[in-house]
Amino acid sequence: MNQENLKIINSFRRISLITVIAVYFLILVGGVVRSTGSGMGCPDWPKCFGSWVPPTSVDQLPLNYQEIYLAKRVEKNENFVSMLQNLGFSQKATEIQQDKSILVEEEFNPVKTWIEYLNRLLGAVIGLFVLLTLYRSIRLWNLDKVIPILAGFNLLLVLFQAWIGSIVVSTNLLTWMITLHMVLALVIVCLLLYIHYRSHRLAYAVRFSTEKPNRLFLVLGLGFVLTIIQIVLGTQVREELDMVAFTFGNMLRGEWIDHLGLTFAIHRSYSILLLAIHLLFIYKIYKYSLRHASVFKWSQILVIVILFEIISGVGMAYFGIPAFLQPIHLLLGSVVIGIQFVILLQLNDQKKITTENSGS
């Protein structure tokens, strides 16, 4: 690897890493939007109350602003329903048509409006970072064509995510759309991490000595799949929580947990299983004498993050669901996925190395 190519790779690695961090920050801010109930702070998209700079007072809006933006959302939802029907999702289309909550238009709240607006601004900035990642990746075409191709696909995925965000707004935070929005965010994170890791592998060998990468990969792979399921369960718990909060008029937070259903009970107990699997994983790494390998260091960080994730969940369950803990809980869960994915990439490389060595 000559110095010029190494310089190009390292420059790309820096911008791709910044993009990953920025996406994680957006996930945190998205958690703040949810925890403060600001998701419908802007009733339209991409503008906010028809303007690129939202109002600060209801006096800046027409008297019938709720009817105006409700009509716009209904029109957009009709187009979305038609698209779902054409794609064969007739049941989902019917659910949206029959969901009366979509027709509820919130009153203007300047705090919620600006929280949601800042969330959108941050999303636009991250879109620029993703575009810059694609631009920088073009210089790597002669070294690894996969990187710019994936960077281009990631840009398309981010644009699709932005469109899904607009549907989330138009459907008044429809539950399964929020879950889809979260899962897509995790896909974007993993894709960006893979792009960053692949560029790192261009310049530096990522190897460690073990003859049993398959077992490690399977254990952590199971943990990865179960963590994704746990996050999906968490979004469903959050949706139940929103309904409970609405029932209580956003008061008496200490009683909300008692009114959650079976999903919350599974989500809470499930975390112990996840911790056990990851403790088993780190034990096996220790057993295979990998204490000085980078995968062991990442595994230690992973277990620590999982512990903090569990602690934040316990804090919400026993202290009346403090609003500040909700975005932290969401962020930690997303970080767990990212660390797992990076370790799986390292283990997968080692599997290839082991296969090549055994073949020779």
Side-chain angles (χ1 to χ4, degrees):
M1 178 68 64
N2 62 52
Q3 291 300 315
E4 182 63 27
N5 285 339
L6 187 61
K7 184 178 179 181
I8 293 173
I9 292 170
N10 286 333
S11 175
F12 174 78
R13 286 178 58 234
R14 283 192 293 271
I15 187 62
S16 62
L17 180 60
I18 291 172
T19 304
V20 170
I21 295 171
V23 171
Y24 270 124
F25 186 64
L26 180 60
I27 290 174
L28 176 64
V29 173
V32 172
V33 171
R34 290 299 310 279
S35 65
T36 57
S38 303
M40 291 303 295
C42 294
D44 49 342
W45 192 96
K47 293 183 178 182
C48 187
F49 286 102
S51 175
W52 292 113
V53 179
T56 56
S57 171
V58 71
D59 297 334
Q60 299 172 259
L61 297 171
L63 293 177
N64 62 334
Y65 71 91
Q66 289 178 292
E67 289 81 1
I68 292 174
Y69 292 107
L70 175 59
K72 290 182 178 181
R73 286 200 294 112
V74 168
E75 181 181 358
K76 188 168 187 176
N77 287 341
E78 288 175 351
N79 294 331
F80 182 53
V81 165
S82 298
M83 186 192 73
L84 288 177
Q85 290 174 336
N86 292 333
L87 293 174
F89 298 102
S90 300
Q91 182 177 351
K92 288 297 181 183
T94 302
E95 288 178 9
I96 293 175
Q97 287 178 316
Q98 296 177 349
D99 191 346
K100 301 302 180 182
S101 66
I102 293 177
L103 303 178
V104 178
E105 188 68 32
E106 292 189 9
E107 294 184 1
F108 173 76
N109 182 310
V111 175
K112 292 182 178 181
T113 293
W114 276 86
I115 289 175
E116 170 60 15
Y117 178 67
L118 292 175
N119 176 50
R120 295 186 185 185
L121 280 183
L122 180 59
V125 171
I126 288 173
L128 294 177
F129 274 120
V130 171
L131 188 60
L132 181 59
T133 300
L134 172 60
Y135 172 73
R136 291 288 185 88
S137 72
I138 295 174
R139 301 179 66 188
L140 300 177
W141 182 262
N142 293 329
L143 298 174
D144 187 348
K145 293 181 175 58
V146 173
I147 291 178
I149 290 173
L150 290 179
F153 177 73
N154 185 64
L155 176 61
L156 294 177
L157 196 59
V158 168
L159 293 174
F160 179 67
Q161 174 77 325
W163 177 75
I164 290 294
S166 73
I167 299 299
V168 169
V169 172
S170 69
T171 55
N172 200 359
L173 308 180
L174 189 64
T175 52
W176 62 272
M177 289 300 299
I178 295 174
T179 299
L180 176 61
H181 197 52
M182 182 65 210
V183 171
L184 279 175
L186 295 177
V187 172
I188 290 170
V189 165
C190 288
L191 185 56
L192 285 170
L193 284 172
Y194 178 72
I195 291 170
H196 176 75
Y197 178 84
R198 193 176 178 99
S199 65
H200 174 77
R201 195 172 56 188
L202 275 177
Y204 306 100
V206 183
R207 301 189 177 199
F208 55 89
S209 178
T210 177
E211 297 179 355
K212 301 181 179 179
N214 288 323
R215 294 183 184 179
L216 293 172
F217 188 89
L218 288 174
V219 172
L220 186 60
L222 175 62
F224 181 75
V225 172
L226 292 178
T227 302
I228 292 176
I229 295 173
Q230 175 74 323
I231 289 179
V232 171
L233 284 173
T235 60
Q236 292 176 350
V237 170
R238 177 65 214 185
E239 290 161 5
E240 287 184 14
L241 195 62
D242 288 342
M243 291 186 286
V244 172
F246 179 79
T247 302
F248 279 83
N250 288 312
M251 301 179 67
L252 303 173
R253 298 179 70 96
E255 298 183 18
W256 293 358
I257 289 291
D258 296 333
H259 290 79
L260 294 178
L262 180 61
T263 304
F264 170 70
I266 296 174
H267 180 69
R268 179 175 54 188
S269 303
Y270 199 75
S271 59
I272 305 301
L273 173 62
L274 286 176
L275 178 61
I277 288 174
H278 289 89
L279 288 176
L280 173 64
F281 176 72
I282 201 170
Y283 165 74
K284 285 187 173 294
I285 291 178
Y286 189 87
K287 180 182 177 181
Y288 297 155
S289 300
L290 296 175
R291 293 184 294 277
H292 301 294
S294 61
V295 69
F296 180 62
K297 296 174 184 177
W298 276 111
S299 300
Q300 290 176 304
I301 296 172
L302 175 60
V303 171
I304 291 172
V305 175
I306 290 174
L307 284 172
F308 276 106
E309 170 78 339
I310 292 174
I311 291 170
S312 66
V314 171
M316 288 195 294
Y318 289 95
F319 295 98
I321 317 177
F324 77 93
L325 273 182
Q326 295 177 49
I328 294 174
H329 190 65
L330 175 64
L331 176 64
L332 289 174
S334 304
V335 170
V336 167
I337 287 289
I339 297 175
Q340 288 173 326
F341 188 70
V342 169
I343 297 174
L344 286 171
L345 290 175
Q346 292 180 332
L347 291 172
N348 187 60
D349 274 350
Q350 182 57 28
K351 284 169 61 180
K352 294 177 182 178
I353 293 167
T354 303
T355 301
E356 292 170 359
N357 289 342
S358 61
S360 62

